[in-house]
Amino acid sequence: FFLSLKLEKKTKGKLQKQICQVVLDHFEKQYTAELGDAWSSVRDVLTSPWCWQHALLLNRFSQSPGLESRLAEQGYRPAFAAALPYLPAAFRCYIRTTPGRFPAQKHQAGKLKEYYLLNAASLLPVLALEVKDGEDVLDLCAAPGGKSVAILQCACPGHFHCNEYDDLRSRWLEQTIESFIPDALINLIVVSKLDGRQIGDLQPEFYDKVLVDAPCSNDRSWLFSADPQQAVLRLMQRKELSSLQFQLLRSAIKALRPGGSLVYSTCTLSKAENSDVIRLILNSCRNVMPVDLSEMARGVSQEFSFLSGTQRHELLVLPEKGRAWGPMYVAKLKKVSST
């Protein structure tokens, strides 16, 4: 016992040194103001990678005999067990309350992976999107590809457009799709490297569903910025992100058919990049209306802890010990007319 305690202290010390103080100080100030009492327990989880959890999204296109019994032996159970407004039968995700990570699978040409390791909260935007077979779907900022893969676990779109502007991340996206999706389906997927802000003008009213998993200040990774100068630069550039997010949303709305819906998501706690962006869109685009997510939130309340006091069309997952998922902000909008 004492040996394991010593090891734990050593590990904690090691990881503690890697926390970027500049970022932590910035978060401390901003999130104490924005989250109030909730921030201290969230901070404890975000600064303690040894208590982080990883979920497994099973790949319906890959045979994996014995995998589910192996997961059960290691304490994993199916997530999203409650009745949800939208939960396709083929969509299978496993979680456990204890920290730790199931072994990752290497990319092998011609062999599909059996599962995708991810933060379980990142599946909420996909479930909120409610994709049906045959719909035309756009994943506007798709890399590294986890949400694109998750969409294809839910349904088979008529046309699936995965876009990623950044060249390096676009190659990562292509490899992810190749690792999880059979050739017959890959032929139905279009991967592009367009500026997401222009897609609405290039393809107006083309899509039934659009996911905008926007570039954001990633709170988990930023806290462990190895280079303090890079961290300072990131914090300065953070102010510009909400403008980019707003432009991406405007483009997504243009790309949507009337009656279509979009989901906006980020992995930050920042109000400026979350509810402020959505409020600005609702105030400036008269042809969209908010969609109530409270039924979905109730259905997953066993798995996730949410910030209270948010609007009915949005939710913010707060990491806590034993449910160390998130941060993940999700909001849903529907396009009601062309103009």
Side-chain angles (χ1 to χ4, degrees):
F1 171 75
F2 289 112
L3 183 65
S4 67
L5 201 65
K6 248 183 182 173
L7 277 170
E8 194 181 315
K9 274 186 177 167
K10 201 175 174 184
T11 313
K12 283 187 180 183
K14 232 180 188 175
L15 289 161
Q16 204 66 40
K17 280 177 199 159
Q18 294 173 3
I19 288 170
C20 183
Q21 198 58 46
V22 182
V23 176
L24 184 58
D25 291 347
H26 180 91
F27 283 3
E28 196 73 52
K29 194 174 170 186
Q30 180 181 349
Y31 294 148
T32 300
E34 290 180 11
L35 303 175
D37 295 342
W39 166 240
S40 62
S41 57
V42 170
R43 180 193 57 216
D44 289 349
V45 173
L46 290 181
T47 56
S48 313
W50 58 89
C51 78
W52 293 1
Q53 293 154 260
H54 295 85
L56 285 90
L57 177 67
L58 271 49
N59 185 10
R60 69 176 170 134
F61 305 112
S62 172
Q63 296 302 312
S64 48
L67 175 60
E68 286 174 273
S69 53
R70 255 167 64 215
L71 289 170
E73 282 164 19
Q74 294 192 32
Y76 285 87
R77 61 175 177 81
F80 312 118
L84 291 179
Y86 173 85
L87 188 68
F91 190 87
R92 291 172 299 157
C93 174
Y94 280 80
I95 58 172
R96 64 176 182 183
T97 47
T98 50
R101 189 182 177 128
F102 207 71
Q105 294 180 311
K106 284 195 172 71
H107 172 74
Q108 292 177 50
K111 190 176 189 315
L112 295 182
K113 291 186 181 182
E114 298 173 341
Y115 54 85
Y116 193 100
L117 291 171
L118 77 180
N119 183 321
S122 65
L123 294 172
L124 294 178
V126 173
L127 293 176
L129 198 60
E130 301 191 19
V131 176
K132 310 283 194 303
D133 286 346
E135 287 183 327
D136 296 322
V137 181
L138 167 63
D139 189 350
L140 193 70
C141 317
K147 292 181 181 69
S148 299
V149 166
I151 285 169
L152 290 164
Q153 303 307 312
C154 294
C156 184
H159 174 84
F160 192 24
H161 182 176
C162 300
N163 181 68
E164 178 53 53
Y165 183 53
D166 182 88
D167 194 52
L168 190 67
R169 285 172 62 81
S170 182
R171 289 204 292 276
W172 189 4
L173 167 66
E174 285 179 337
Q175 190 182 83
T176 302
I177 290 170
E178 191 188 314
S179 290
F180 285 91
I181 310 304
D183 290 343
L185 266 183
I186 284 182
N187 297 335
L188 303 174
I189 302 169
V190 174
V191 177
S192 67
K193 289 190 276 191
L194 300 165
D195 183 335
R197 292 169 293 187
Q198 295 168 0
I199 287 180
D201 290 324
L202 295 169
Q203 296 181 307
E205 302 197 345
F206 189 85
Y207 298 98
D208 300 298
K209 302 279 165 72
V210 180
L211 175 63
V212 185
D213 186 43
C216 67
S217 43
N218 184 325
D219 294 352
R220 277 192 191 231
S221 66
W222 281 26
L223 271 169
F224 294 88
S225 302
D227 180 355
Q229 284 172 313
Q230 184 201 38
V232 171
L233 187 66
R234 275 175 166 175
L235 292 171
M236 284 164 63
Q237 292 171 335
R238 193 178 201 205
K239 298 182 184 77
E240 296 158 27
L241 278 168
S242 57
S243 170
L244 170 64
Q245 290 154 350
F246 177 78
Q247 290 169 57
L248 288 168
L249 269 172
R250 285 280 296 265
S251 174
I253 291 164
K254 284 182 185 174
L256 263 185
R257 292 180 179 129
S261 52
L262 76 81
V263 168
Y264 173 77
S265 61
T266 74
C267 53
T268 180
L269 297 160
S270 175
K271 187 170 169 286
E273 297 176 54
N274 294 339
S275 51
D276 286 358
V277 173
I278 293 295
R279 189 171 68 248
L280 193 59
I281 276 288
L282 287 169
N283 288 339
S284 60
C285 299
R286 298 294 173 198
N287 60 339
V288 288
M289 57 179 282
V291 178
D292 193 339
L293 289 177
S294 55
E295 192 186 343
M296 186 179 91
R298 274 195 304 276
V300 296
S301 59
Q302 290 302 305
E303 268 94 349
F304 304 105
S305 176
F306 296 111
L307 178 68
S308 59
T310 56
Q311 300 293 311
R312 291 170 76 87
H313 60 270
E314 60 181 356
L315 44 92
L316 178 61
V317 179
L318 301 178
E320 61 175 37
K321 288 221 168 91
R323 298 195 291 183
W325 314 114
M328 181 59 57
Y329 175 80
V330 185
K332 186 171 184 178
L333 305 174
K334 183 175 183 172
K335 185 169 182 175
V336 289
S337 64
S338 290
T339 51

